[in-house]
Protein backbone atom coordinates (compact mmCIF):
# COMPACT_ATOMS: atom_id res chain seq x y z
CA UNK A 1 0.00 0.00 0.00
CA UNK A 2 1.38 3.36 -1.01
CA UNK A 3 0.81 6.64 0.79
CA UNK A 4 -2.21 8.87 0.17
CA UNK A 5 -0.25 12.09 -0.06
CA UNK A 6 3.32 13.35 -0.14
CA UNK A 7 4.80 16.38 1.58
CA UNK A 8 8.02 17.73 0.10
CA UNK A 9 9.80 20.15 2.41
CA UNK A 10 9.74 19.75 6.17
CA UNK A 11 10.26 23.27 7.42
CA UNK A 12 7.84 24.55 10.05
CA UNK A 13 4.84 24.66 7.69
CA UNK A 14 5.58 21.38 5.88
CA UNK A 15 6.14 19.40 9.05
CA UNK A 16 2.97 20.65 10.72
CA UNK A 17 0.91 20.09 7.61
CA UNK A 18 2.18 16.49 7.44
CA UNK A 19 1.10 15.96 11.08
CA UNK A 20 -2.26 17.57 10.38
CA UNK A 21 -2.87 15.29 7.37
CA UNK A 22 -1.84 12.23 9.35
CA UNK A 23 -4.07 13.30 12.25
CA UNK A 24 -6.99 13.11 9.85
CA UNK A 25 -6.30 9.52 8.89
CA UNK A 26 -4.24 10.01 5.73
CA UNK A 27 -1.04 8.08 5.18
CA UNK A 28 1.63 10.66 4.52
CA UNK A 29 4.97 10.25 2.74
CA UNK A 30 7.53 12.94 3.59
CA UNK A 31 10.73 14.05 1.97
CA UNK A 32 13.22 16.79 2.75
CA UNK A 33 16.42 17.69 0.93
CA UNK A 34 18.48 17.32 4.11
CA UNK A 35 17.61 14.01 5.71
CA UNK A 36 18.10 15.27 9.28
CA UNK A 37 14.71 16.98 9.19
CA UNK A 38 13.05 13.80 7.93
CA UNK A 39 14.66 11.78 10.72
CA UNK A 40 13.67 14.33 13.35
CA UNK A 41 10.07 14.27 12.13
CA UNK A 42 9.96 10.46 12.18
CA UNK A 43 11.16 10.50 15.77
CA UNK A 44 8.46 12.98 16.72
CA UNK A 45 5.56 11.41 14.83
CA UNK A 46 4.53 8.84 17.46
CA UNK A 47 1.75 6.59 16.16
CA UNK A 48 0.90 8.79 13.20
CA UNK A 49 1.02 7.14 9.80
CA UNK A 50 3.95 9.00 8.29
CA UNK A 51 6.68 7.43 6.16
CA UNK A 52 9.98 9.14 5.54
CA UNK A 53 12.05 8.89 2.35
CA UNK A 54 15.55 10.05 1.64
CA UNK A 55 15.47 10.12 -2.15
CA UNK A 56 12.95 11.78 -4.42
CA UNK A 57 12.33 8.79 -6.65
CA UNK A 58 11.29 6.43 -3.85
CA UNK A 59 9.27 9.21 -2.23
CA UNK A 60 7.27 9.73 -5.43
CA UNK A 61 6.95 6.14 -6.58
CA UNK A 62 5.59 5.03 -3.21
CA UNK A 63 2.57 7.31 -3.54
CA UNK A 64 -0.80 5.91 -4.60
CA UNK A 65 -1.79 7.10 -8.08
CA UNK A 66 -2.80 9.68 -9.01
CA UNK A 67 0.14 10.95 -6.98
CA UNK A 68 -0.55 14.03 -4.94
CA UNK A 69 2.30 16.06 -3.54
CA UNK A 70 2.32 19.17 -1.38
CA UNK A 71 5.41 21.27 -2.05
CA UNK A 72 6.17 23.19 1.13
CA UNK A 73 9.31 24.99 0.05
CA UNK A 74 10.49 28.57 -0.32
CA UNK A 75 8.72 30.61 -2.94
CA UNK A 76 10.63 31.50 -6.09
CA UNK A 77 13.49 29.60 -7.63
CA UNK A 78 13.39 26.82 -5.00
CA UNK A 79 9.86 25.89 -6.11
CA UNK A 80 10.91 25.62 -9.75
CA UNK A 81 13.87 23.46 -8.75
CA UNK A 82 11.64 21.13 -6.76
CA UNK A 83 9.21 20.79 -9.67
CA UNK A 84 12.11 19.88 -11.96
CA UNK A 85 13.36 17.28 -9.50
CA UNK A 86 9.89 15.69 -9.26
CA UNK A 87 8.93 15.72 -12.93
CA UNK A 88 10.94 12.67 -14.06
CA UNK A 89 8.91 10.48 -11.68
CA UNK A 90 5.45 11.96 -12.25
CA UNK A 91 2.86 10.68 -14.74
CA UNK A 92 -0.02 12.32 -16.51
CA UNK A 93 -2.90 12.90 -14.09
CA UNK A 94 -0.68 13.44 -11.04
CA UNK A 95 -1.27 16.49 -8.87
CA UNK A 96 1.26 19.03 -7.59
CA UNK A 97 0.27 21.49 -4.89
CA UNK A 98 2.36 24.56 -4.11
CA UNK A 99 1.61 25.52 -0.50
CA UNK A 100 4.18 28.35 -0.34
CA UNK A 101 3.60 32.10 -0.57
CA UNK A 102 4.25 32.05 -4.31
CA UNK A 103 4.00 35.09 -6.53
CA UNK A 104 0.78 34.56 -8.49
CA UNK A 105 2.43 35.24 -11.87
CA UNK A 106 4.80 32.33 -11.12
CA UNK A 107 1.82 30.14 -10.27
CA UNK A 108 0.13 31.07 -13.55
CA UNK A 109 3.27 30.14 -15.48
CA UNK A 110 3.79 26.86 -13.60
CA UNK A 111 0.14 25.87 -14.05
CA UNK A 112 0.44 26.34 -17.83
CA UNK A 113 3.76 24.54 -18.13
CA UNK A 114 2.63 21.60 -16.02
CA UNK A 115 -0.74 21.27 -17.69
CA UNK A 116 1.10 20.74 -21.00
CA UNK A 117 2.68 17.67 -19.40
CA UNK A 118 -0.65 16.46 -18.03
CA UNK A 119 0.23 17.39 -14.43
CA UNK A 120 -2.54 19.19 -12.56
CA UNK A 121 -1.24 22.10 -10.53
CA UNK A 122 -2.80 23.76 -7.54
CA UNK A 123 -1.50 27.05 -6.11
CA UNK A 124 -2.59 26.84 -2.50
CA UNK A 125 -2.49 29.86 -0.20
CA UNK A 126 -2.12 28.67 3.38
CA UNK A 127 -2.58 30.99 6.31
CA UNK A 128 -2.34 30.50 10.02
CA UNK A 129 1.35 30.07 10.67
CA UNK A 130 2.67 27.08 12.57
CA UNK A 131 -0.41 26.46 14.72
CA UNK A 132 -2.69 26.85 11.74
CA UNK A 133 -0.75 24.34 9.67
CA UNK A 134 -0.86 21.86 12.57
CA UNK A 135 -4.42 22.24 13.77
CA UNK A 136 -6.36 23.96 10.99
CA UNK A 137 -5.26 26.61 8.52
CA UNK A 138 -7.35 28.71 6.18
CA UNK A 139 -6.78 27.31 2.70
CA UNK A 140 -6.98 29.28 -0.55
CA UNK A 141 -6.73 26.89 -3.50
CA UNK A 142 -6.58 28.03 -7.12
CA UNK A 143 -5.49 26.40 -10.33
CA UNK A 144 -6.60 23.16 -11.93
CA UNK A 145 -10.15 22.27 -10.91
CA UNK A 146 -9.27 18.60 -11.39
CA UNK A 147 -6.38 18.99 -8.98
CA UNK A 148 -8.71 20.63 -6.50
CA UNK A 149 -11.35 17.93 -6.80
CA UNK A 150 -8.73 15.28 -6.27
CA UNK A 151 -7.52 16.77 -2.97
CA UNK A 152 -10.71 18.51 -1.78
CA UNK A 153 -11.53 15.85 0.87
CA UNK A 154 -8.03 16.20 2.33
CA UNK A 155 -8.14 19.98 2.28
CA UNK A 156 -11.56 19.99 3.92
CA UNK A 157 -10.35 17.58 6.58
CA UNK A 158 -7.28 19.59 7.56
CA UNK A 159 -8.71 23.12 7.20
CA UNK A 160 -9.83 25.24 10.13
CA UNK A 161 -13.56 25.06 10.81
CA UNK A 162 -15.87 28.00 11.35
CA UNK A 163 -19.06 26.66 12.92
CA UNK A 164 -18.21 23.25 11.40
CA UNK A 165 -17.68 24.71 7.93
CA UNK A 166 -14.19 24.05 6.55
CA UNK A 167 -12.26 27.21 5.69
CA UNK A 168 -11.44 26.20 2.14
CA UNK A 169 -13.06 27.01 -1.21
CA UNK A 170 -11.95 26.72 -4.80
CA UNK A 171 -11.16 30.25 -5.92
CA UNK A 172 -10.44 30.03 -9.64
CA UNK A 173 -7.95 29.03 -12.30
CA UNK A 174 -4.20 29.62 -12.49
CA UNK A 175 -2.86 31.93 -9.80
CA UNK A 176 -6.23 32.79 -8.20
CA UNK A 177 -5.44 31.06 -4.89
CA UNK A 178 -2.05 32.66 -4.47
CA UNK A 179 -3.51 36.01 -5.51
CA UNK A 180 -6.10 35.79 -2.76
CA UNK A 181 -3.40 34.77 -0.27
CA UNK A 182 -1.32 37.75 -1.37
CA UNK A 183 -4.21 40.14 -0.71
CA UNK A 184 -4.84 38.37 2.60
CA UNK A 185 -1.27 39.26 3.54
CA UNK A 186 -1.74 42.84 2.35
CA UNK A 187 -4.74 43.15 4.65
CA UNK A 188 -2.66 41.50 7.38
CA UNK A 189 -0.03 44.25 6.99
CA UNK A 190 -2.71 46.98 7.17
CA UNK A 191 -4.45 45.44 10.17
CA UNK A 192 -1.16 45.09 12.06
CA UNK A 193 -0.10 48.65 11.23
CA UNK A 194 -3.45 50.11 12.28
CA UNK A 195 -3.31 48.25 15.58
CA UNK A 196 0.28 49.42 16.08
CA UNK A 197 -0.71 53.04 15.44
CA UNK A 198 -3.57 52.89 17.91
CA UNK A 199 -1.25 51.28 20.46
CA UNK A 200 1.14 54.18 19.81
CA UNK A 201 -1.65 56.69 20.35
CA UNK A 202 -2.94 55.00 23.48
CA UNK A 203 0.50 54.60 24.96
CA UNK A 204 1.64 58.16 24.42
CA UNK A 205 -1.57 60.03 24.98
CA UNK A 206 -2.36 58.25 28.23
CA UNK A 207 1.14 57.34 29.36
CA UNK A 208 -0.39 53.92 29.87
CA UNK A 209 1.52 50.89 31.12
CA UNK A 210 1.63 47.77 28.95
CA UNK A 211 -0.58 45.94 31.43
CA UNK A 212 -3.29 48.56 31.20
CA UNK A 213 -2.96 48.62 27.41
CA UNK A 214 -3.34 44.85 27.44
CA UNK A 215 -6.62 45.10 29.28
CA UNK A 216 -7.88 47.70 26.79
CA UNK A 217 -7.13 45.32 23.90
CA UNK A 218 -8.68 42.45 25.86
CA UNK A 219 -11.85 44.52 26.22
CA UNK A 220 -11.85 45.41 22.56
CA UNK A 221 -11.54 41.78 21.67
CA UNK A 222 -14.95 41.15 23.22
CA UNK A 223 -16.73 43.44 20.75
CA UNK A 224 -16.87 44.30 17.06
CA UNK A 225 -13.06 44.48 16.83
CA UNK A 226 -12.79 40.85 17.92
CA UNK A 227 -9.97 39.26 15.94
CA UNK A 228 -6.88 37.12 16.22
CA UNK A 229 -4.56 40.12 15.82
CA UNK A 230 -6.25 42.07 18.65
CA UNK A 231 -6.16 38.94 20.81
CA UNK A 232 -2.43 38.38 20.32
CA UNK A 233 -1.74 42.09 20.83
CA UNK A 234 -3.27 41.85 24.31
CA UNK A 235 -1.28 38.71 25.01
CA UNK A 236 1.98 40.24 23.76
CA UNK A 237 1.53 43.31 25.97
CA UNK A 238 1.33 41.13 29.09
CA UNK A 239 4.63 39.33 28.49
CA UNK A 240 7.58 40.47 30.62
CA UNK A 241 11.20 40.32 29.55
CA UNK A 242 12.73 37.60 31.78
CA UNK A 243 15.98 39.59 32.07
CA UNK A 244 14.69 43.01 33.02
CA UNK A 245 11.16 42.28 34.19
CA UNK A 246 10.00 45.09 31.88
CA UNK A 247 7.35 44.50 29.21
CA UNK A 248 9.12 42.49 26.53
CA UNK A 249 7.54 44.57 23.77
CA UNK A 250 9.44 47.63 25.03
CA UNK A 251 12.72 45.77 24.51
CA UNK A 252 11.96 44.90 20.90
CA UNK A 253 13.71 47.04 18.32
CA UNK A 254 11.24 49.13 16.30
CA UNK A 255 12.46 47.91 12.93
CA UNK A 256 9.83 45.85 11.11
CA UNK A 257 10.83 43.26 8.57
CA UNK A 258 8.92 41.82 5.66
CA UNK A 259 9.14 38.98 3.20
CA UNK A 260 7.45 40.69 0.28
CA UNK A 261 3.80 39.64 0.04
CA UNK A 262 2.56 43.05 1.24
CA UNK A 263 4.79 44.72 -1.32
CA UNK A 264 3.40 42.49 -4.10
CA UNK A 265 -0.14 43.45 -3.09
CA UNK A 266 0.72 47.14 -3.32
CA UNK A 267 2.56 46.66 -6.63
CA UNK A 268 -0.41 44.81 -8.02
CA UNK A 269 -2.75 47.56 -6.88
CA UNK A 270 -0.66 50.07 -8.82
CA UNK A 271 -0.74 47.76 -11.81
CA UNK A 272 -4.52 47.53 -11.69
CA UNK A 273 -5.05 51.19 -10.78
CA UNK A 274 -6.87 50.28 -7.57
CA UNK A 275 -6.36 52.75 -4.70
CA UNK A 276 -5.01 50.50 -1.99
CA UNK A 277 -3.69 53.28 0.19
CA UNK A 278 -3.99 51.73 3.66
CA UNK A 279 -2.24 48.50 2.73
CA UNK A 280 0.39 50.33 0.68
CA UNK A 281 1.00 52.75 3.53
CA UNK A 282 1.49 49.80 5.87
CA UNK A 283 4.25 48.55 3.57
CA UNK A 284 5.84 52.01 3.52
CA UNK A 285 5.54 52.21 7.30
CA UNK A 286 7.61 49.03 7.62
CA UNK A 287 10.17 50.52 5.23
CA UNK A 288 10.30 53.75 7.25
CA UNK A 289 10.64 51.79 10.48
CA UNK A 290 13.56 49.89 8.95
CA UNK A 291 15.42 53.22 8.47
CA UNK A 292 16.29 53.21 12.15
CA UNK A 293 19.67 54.93 11.84
CA UNK A 294 18.24 57.65 9.60
CA UNK A 295 15.37 58.15 12.01
CA UNK A 296 17.74 58.51 14.94
CA UNK A 297 19.73 61.15 13.07
CA UNK A 298 16.59 62.93 11.89
CA UNK A 299 15.21 62.83 15.43
CA UNK A 300 18.21 64.92 16.49
CA UNK A 301 18.09 67.35 13.61
CA UNK A 302 14.36 67.72 13.21
CA UNK A 303 13.47 67.59 16.90
CA UNK A 304 10.52 65.22 16.99
CA UNK A 305 7.49 65.93 19.08
CA UNK A 306 7.83 62.60 20.83
CA UNK A 307 9.82 59.48 21.30
CA UNK A 308 13.50 60.20 21.35
CA UNK A 309 15.26 56.94 22.06
CA UNK A 310 16.26 56.67 25.68
CA UNK A 311 14.26 59.68 26.82
CA UNK A 312 11.62 59.25 29.49
CA UNK A 313 8.17 58.57 28.12
CA UNK A 314 6.73 61.84 26.92
CA UNK A 315 3.58 63.21 28.40
CA UNK A 316 1.51 65.60 26.41
CA UNK A 317 0.56 68.87 28.04
CA UNK A 318 -2.91 68.67 26.65
CA UNK A 319 -5.05 65.78 27.82
CA UNK A 320 -7.15 64.15 25.11
CA UNK A 321 -10.27 64.45 27.26
CA UNK A 322 -11.96 62.07 29.67
CA UNK A 323 -10.03 58.81 29.57
CA UNK A 324 -12.88 56.42 28.91
CA UNK A 325 -14.25 58.62 26.09
CA UNK A 326 -10.83 58.84 24.53
CA UNK A 327 -10.32 55.07 24.67
CA UNK A 328 -13.71 54.61 23.06
CA UNK A 329 -12.76 57.13 20.38
CA UNK A 330 -9.64 55.14 19.58
CA UNK A 331 -11.59 51.89 19.48
CA UNK A 332 -14.03 53.36 16.99
CA UNK A 333 -11.21 54.98 15.01
CA UNK A 334 -9.53 51.61 14.69
CA UNK A 335 -12.76 49.95 13.65
CA UNK A 336 -13.43 52.57 10.96
CA UNK A 337 -9.92 52.27 9.56
CA UNK A 338 -10.12 48.48 9.66
CA UNK A 339 -13.36 48.47 7.65
CA UNK A 340 -11.71 50.76 5.09
CA UNK A 341 -8.57 48.60 4.84
CA UNK A 342 -10.61 45.42 4.30
CA UNK A 343 -12.86 47.23 1.81
CA UNK A 344 -9.79 48.27 -0.18
CA UNK A 345 -8.50 44.70 -0.19
CA UNK A 346 -11.86 43.36 -1.42
CA UNK A 347 -12.04 46.11 -4.06
CA UNK A 348 -8.67 44.92 -5.35
CA UNK A 349 -9.89 41.30 -5.40
CA UNK A 350 -12.95 42.32 -7.37
CA UNK A 351 -10.92 44.18 -9.99
CA UNK A 352 -8.30 41.44 -10.19
CA UNK A 353 -11.04 38.84 -10.69
CA UNK A 354 -12.35 40.84 -13.65
CA UNK A 355 -8.94 41.58 -15.16
CA UNK A 356 -7.59 38.04 -14.86
CA UNK A 357 -10.91 36.33 -15.61
CA UNK A 358 -11.19 34.48 -12.31
CA UNK A 359 -14.63 35.55 -11.07
CA UNK A 360 -13.30 35.50 -7.51
CA UNK A 361 -16.07 34.42 -5.10
CA UNK A 362 -15.92 37.32 -2.64
CA UNK A 363 -18.39 35.84 -0.17
CA UNK A 364 -16.47 32.54 -0.07
CA UNK A 365 -13.22 34.41 0.42
CA UNK A 366 -14.62 36.28 3.43
CA UNK A 367 -16.04 32.99 4.66
CA UNK A 368 -12.76 31.04 4.53
CA UNK A 369 -10.94 33.89 6.28
CA UNK A 370 -13.23 33.62 9.31
CA UNK A 371 -11.08 30.98 11.00
CA UNK A 372 -7.56 29.63 10.81
CA UNK A 373 -5.89 32.60 9.15
CA UNK A 374 -4.02 35.56 10.59
CA UNK A 375 -6.69 38.14 9.69
CA UNK A 376 -9.61 36.16 11.09
CA UNK A 377 -11.99 38.69 12.58
CA UNK A 378 -15.63 39.17 13.40
CA UNK A 379 -15.80 41.76 10.64
CA UNK A 380 -15.32 39.02 8.02
CA UNK A 381 -18.60 37.42 8.99
CA UNK A 382 -20.38 40.67 8.07
CA UNK A 383 -18.43 40.94 4.82
CA UNK A 384 -19.38 37.37 3.96
CA UNK A 385 -23.07 38.14 4.46
CA UNK A 386 -22.89 41.32 2.39
CA UNK A 387 -21.30 39.52 -0.56
CA UNK A 388 -23.62 36.53 -0.21
CA UNK A 389 -26.16 38.63 -2.14
CA UNK A 390 -25.26 38.01 -5.82
CA UNK A 391 -26.92 41.32 -6.71
CA UNK A 392 -24.39 43.16 -4.58
CA UNK A 393 -20.74 42.62 -5.45
CA UNK A 394 -19.81 46.28 -5.27
CA UNK A 395 -17.58 48.36 -3.02
CA UNK A 396 -18.11 47.41 0.62
CA UNK A 397 -18.33 51.01 1.81
CA UNK A 398 -21.42 51.49 -0.34
CA UNK A 399 -23.47 48.92 1.53
CA UNK A 400 -26.04 50.24 4.02
CA UNK A 401 -24.38 48.18 6.76
CA UNK A 402 -20.89 49.64 6.38
CA UNK A 403 -22.07 53.11 5.35
CA UNK A 404 -23.93 53.26 8.67
CA UNK A 405 -21.01 51.94 10.71
CA UNK A 406 -18.67 54.46 9.14
CA UNK A 407 -21.07 57.30 9.75
CA UNK A 408 -20.85 56.46 13.45
CA UNK A 409 -17.13 55.84 13.62
CA UNK A 410 -15.51 58.27 11.15
CA UNK A 411 -15.79 61.27 13.52
CA UNK A 412 -13.68 59.27 15.94
CA UNK A 413 -11.11 58.41 13.29
CA UNK A 414 -10.98 62.09 12.41
CA UNK A 415 -10.44 62.99 16.06
CA UNK A 416 -7.68 60.42 16.47
CA UNK A 417 -5.85 61.54 13.32
CA UNK A 418 -6.24 65.20 14.29
CA UNK A 419 -4.68 64.46 17.67
CA UNK A 420 -1.74 62.70 16.02
CA UNK A 421 -1.25 65.50 13.52
CA UNK A 422 -1.23 68.13 16.26
CA UNK A 423 1.16 66.18 18.45
CA UNK A 424 3.48 65.09 15.67
CA UNK A 425 2.76 61.38 16.12
CA UNK A 426 3.15 59.49 12.87
CA UNK A 427 -0.12 57.69 12.06
CA UNK A 428 0.20 56.99 8.35
CA UNK A 429 -2.29 54.15 7.93
CA UNK A 430 -5.02 55.77 10.05
CA UNK A 431 -4.56 59.00 8.09
CA UNK A 432 -4.70 57.16 4.76
CA UNK A 433 -7.90 55.41 5.77
CA UNK A 434 -9.54 58.73 6.57
CA UNK A 435 -8.28 60.38 3.42
CA UNK A 436 -9.53 57.50 1.27
CA UNK A 437 -12.95 57.73 2.88
CA UNK A 438 -13.08 61.47 2.27
CA UNK A 439 -11.88 61.01 -1.30
CA UNK A 440 -14.32 58.23 -2.11
CA UNK A 441 -17.31 60.23 -0.93
CA UNK A 442 -16.20 63.40 -2.75
CA UNK A 443 -18.42 64.02 -5.73
CA UNK A 444 -15.80 66.54 -6.85
CA UNK A 445 -12.03 66.26 -6.52
CA UNK A 446 -9.39 68.73 -7.72
CA UNK A 447 -8.48 66.47 -10.63
CA UNK A 448 -9.94 69.14 -12.94
CA UNK A 449 -6.82 71.18 -12.20
CA UNK A 450 -4.55 68.16 -12.85
CA UNK A 451 -6.21 67.74 -16.23
CA UNK A 452 -5.75 71.44 -17.03
CA UNK A 453 -2.07 71.23 -16.06
CA UNK A 454 -1.57 68.13 -18.22
CA UNK A 455 -3.22 69.85 -21.13
CA UNK A 456 -1.20 73.04 -20.54
CA UNK A 457 2.23 71.44 -20.67
CA UNK A 458 1.58 68.42 -22.84
CA UNK A 459 -1.62 68.94 -24.84
CA UNK A 460 -2.94 65.78 -23.19
CA UNK A 461 -6.54 67.01 -23.63
CA UNK A 462 -9.34 67.04 -21.07
CA UNK A 463 -13.03 66.22 -20.83
CA UNK A 464 -15.63 68.88 -19.98
CA UNK A 465 -18.37 68.83 -17.38
CA UNK A 466 -20.98 70.24 -19.76
CA UNK A 467 -20.59 68.16 -22.92
CA UNK A 468 -18.89 64.96 -24.08
CA UNK A 469 -15.71 64.86 -26.11
CA UNK A 470 -12.03 65.51 -25.80
CA UNK A 471 -10.81 69.12 -25.66
CA UNK A 472 -7.56 71.01 -25.87
CA UNK A 473 -6.87 74.64 -25.04
CA UNK A 474 -3.90 76.66 -26.20
CA UNK A 475 -3.24 77.84 -22.66
CA UNK A 476 -0.20 79.96 -23.58
CA UNK A 477 -2.38 82.36 -25.52
CA UNK A 478 -4.22 83.31 -22.35
CA UNK A 479 -2.49 86.03 -20.37
CA UNK A 480 -4.33 87.34 -17.35
C1 LIG B 1 -0.04 33.73 7.19
C2 LIG B 1 1.05 34.76 7.12
C3 LIG B 1 2.35 34.22 6.63
C4 LIG B 1 3.43 35.27 6.44
C5 LIG B 1 3.86 35.94 7.69
C6 LIG B 1 5.11 36.79 7.56
O1 LIG B 1 -1.06 34.00 6.58
O2 LIG B 1 0.12 32.72 7.86
O3 LIG B 1 0.65 35.75 6.21
O4 LIG B 1 2.09 33.60 5.39
O5 LIG B 1 4.52 34.65 5.90
O6 LIG B 1 2.84 36.71 8.19
O7 LIG B 1 4.99 37.79 6.61
P1 LIG B 1 6.01 39.01 6.64
O8 LIG B 1 7.36 38.45 6.98
O9 LIG B 1 6.00 39.60 5.26
O10 LIG B 1 5.50 39.93 7.68
Amino acid sequence: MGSDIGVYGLGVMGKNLAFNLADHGFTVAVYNRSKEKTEALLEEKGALSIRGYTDVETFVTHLNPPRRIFMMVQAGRATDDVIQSLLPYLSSGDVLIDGGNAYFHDTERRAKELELRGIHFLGLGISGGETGARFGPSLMPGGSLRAYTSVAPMLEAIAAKYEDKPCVAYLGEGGAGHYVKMVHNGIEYADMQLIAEVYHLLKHSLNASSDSLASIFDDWNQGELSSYLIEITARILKVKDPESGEPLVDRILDRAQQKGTGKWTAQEALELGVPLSVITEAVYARALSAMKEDRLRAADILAPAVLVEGSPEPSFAEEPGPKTDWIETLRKALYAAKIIAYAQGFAQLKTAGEVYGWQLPLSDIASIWRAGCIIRARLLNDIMHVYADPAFQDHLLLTPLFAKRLKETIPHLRRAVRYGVEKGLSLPALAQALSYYDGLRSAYLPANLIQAQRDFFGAHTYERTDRPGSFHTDWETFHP
Side-chain angles (χ1 to χ4, degrees):
M1 268 289 275
S3 301
D4 301 319
I5 181 99
V7 177
Y8 185 125
L10 301 177
V12 173
M13 294 298 280
K15 175 181 131 181
N16 284 292
L17 204 77
F19 282 148
N20 190 351
L21 283 158
D23 262 349
H24 287 88
F26 301 104
T27 310
V28 187
V30 296
Y31 172 83
N32 193 73
R33 219 152 46 111
S34 69
K35 65 176 190 317
E36 290 72 23
K37 281 203 172 141
T38 313
E39 286 164 0
L41 182 146
L42 293 177
E43 267 182 30
E44 231 185 279
K45 79 177 178 65
L48 290 174
S49 180
I50 300 181
R51 300 162 182 167
Y53 297 89
T54 50
D55 71 286
V56 178
E57 182 174 1
T58 345
F59 164 67
V60 178
T61 50
H62 280 78
L63 291 169
N64 290 330
R67 301 184 187 96
R68 291 164 290 194
I69 300 172
F70 275 96
M71 295 184 296
M72 300 301 296
V73 296
Q74 269 215 318
R77 187 66 206 278
T79 308
D80 287 312
D81 292 346
V82 169
I83 292 174
Q84 288 312 316
S85 74
L86 290 167
L87 272 176
Y89 314 111
L90 296 176
S91 321
S92 180
D94 288 347
V95 172
L96 276 186
I97 305 150
D98 177 7
N101 269 332
Y103 189 37
F104 79 100
H105 282 305
D106 288 340
T107 306
E108 295 263 301
R109 168 179 58 78
R110 289 171 188 141
K112 282 197 189 108
E113 287 168 2
L114 288 164
E115 212 58 51
L116 289 176
R117 293 165 168 260
I119 309 294
H120 306 310
F121 188 61
L122 204 62
L124 179 69
I126 303 183
S127 178
E130 184 175 354
T131 314
R134 179 71 183 87
F135 300 109
S138 168
L139 297 173
M140 293 154 253
S144 154
L145 185 56
R146 285 176 65 178
Y148 176 68
T149 315
S150 152
V151 290
M154 289 180 192
L155 299 184
E156 283 169 13
I158 63 168
K161 309 288 179 302
Y162 184 91
E163 292 174 352
D164 294 335
K165 200 172 177 301
C167 288
V168 56
Y170 177 70
L171 300 175
E173 304 254 298
H178 278 140
Y179 196 97
V180 172
K181 175 63 181 19
M182 175 187 81
V183 174
H184 165 283
N185 282 27
I187 295 175
E188 173 185 306
Y189 274 53
D191 213 339
M192 292 166 76
Q193 178 65 25
L194 291 169
I195 293 172
E197 288 178 18
V198 168
Y199 151 77
H200 197 48
L201 265 169
L202 279 168
K203 183 171 172 190
H204 297 289
S205 61
L206 299 173
N207 272 321
S209 69
S210 284
D211 283 332
S212 58
L213 292 178
S215 62
I216 293 172
F217 282 103
D218 267 336
D219 273 358
W220 290 0
N221 201 35
Q222 305 311 309
E224 57 195 1
L225 273 174
S226 173
S227 65
Y228 172 70
L229 286 169
I230 293 280
E231 178 199 322
I232 64 166
T233 300
R235 288 171 58 185
I236 287 166
L237 288 165
K238 288 176 204 159
V239 176
K240 302 284 180 286
D241 173 26
E243 286 164 38
S244 62
E246 298 293 315
L248 181 56
V249 72
D250 292 341
R251 296 281 158 142
I252 296 180
L253 190 64
D254 56 335
R255 183 152 57 192
Q257 299 191 351
Q258 51 185 314
K259 295 200 197 76
T261 46
K263 183 183 79 181
W264 290 343
T265 319
Q267 282 173 331
E268 249 296 294
L270 282 173
E271 207 60 60
L272 298 175
V274 176
L276 194 79
S277 47
V278 187
I279 291 173
T280 304
E281 195 54 59
V283 180
Y284 288 146
R286 288 200 192 184
L288 188 66
S289 83
M291 296 165 53
K292 177 74 177 177
E293 288 74 23
D294 294 305
R295 287 191 290 114
L296 284 172
R297 274 193 301 131
D300 266 350
I301 299 166
L302 305 173
V306 290
L307 300 180
V308 180
E309 185 98 334
S311 75
E313 292 294 301
S315 73
F316 296 126
E318 190 192 323
E319 283 294 319
K323 193 171 161 185
T324 46
D325 287 2
W326 177 237
I327 293 172
E328 185 58 3
T329 279
L330 295 187
R331 188 188 70 76
K332 287 183 172 157
L334 179 55
Y335 190 54
K338 182 178 170 114
I339 292 173
I340 293 166
Y342 280 58
Q344 288 187 344
F346 274 90
Q348 173 157 347
L349 287 174
K350 180 171 182 281
T351 304
E354 287 157 9
V355 170
Y356 299 115
W358 290 323
Q359 308 283 320
L360 293 175
L362 302 180
S363 182
D364 287 350
I365 292 169
S367 165
I368 63 176
W369 285 350
R370 288 180 303 167
C373 69
I374 305 297
I375 64 167
R376 59 187 185 260
R378 187 174 292 183
L379 175 64
L380 284 160
N381 203 34
D382 300 329
I383 296 176
M384 185 202 81
H385 285 301
V386 166
Y387 280 135
D389 175 0
F392 182 87
Q393 299 296 302
D394 207 344
H395 200 295
L396 279 175
L397 301 194
L398 306 183
T399 60
L401 177 72
F402 290 115
K404 181 166 173 285
R405 286 193 190 166
L406 285 176
K407 206 164 173 222
E408 287 160 14
T409 51
I410 284 288
H412 297 277
L413 178 57
R414 208 175 289 288
R415 187 175 168 215
V417 170
R418 186 165 54 227
Y419 184 86
V421 168
E422 278 167 8
K423 304 297 176 196
L425 274 180
S426 174
L427 306 171
L430 287 168
Q432 281 302 337
L434 182 60
S435 184
Y436 176 82
Y437 174 82
D438 284 336
L440 187 69
R441 70 193 185 123
S442 290
Y444 301 100
L445 286 170
N448 51 339
L449 184 58
I450 307 283
Q451 284 297 80
Q453 290 165 334
R454 292 178 69 245
D455 192 51
F456 190 117
F457 61 68
H460 294 296
T461 74
Y462 55 87
E463 295 169 292
R464 291 182 61 99
T465 56
D466 49 3
R467 55 184 189 275
S470 169
F471 299 87
H472 168 62
T473 295
D474 187 1
W475 299 90
E476 295 284 5
T477 62
F478 289 91
H479 291 287

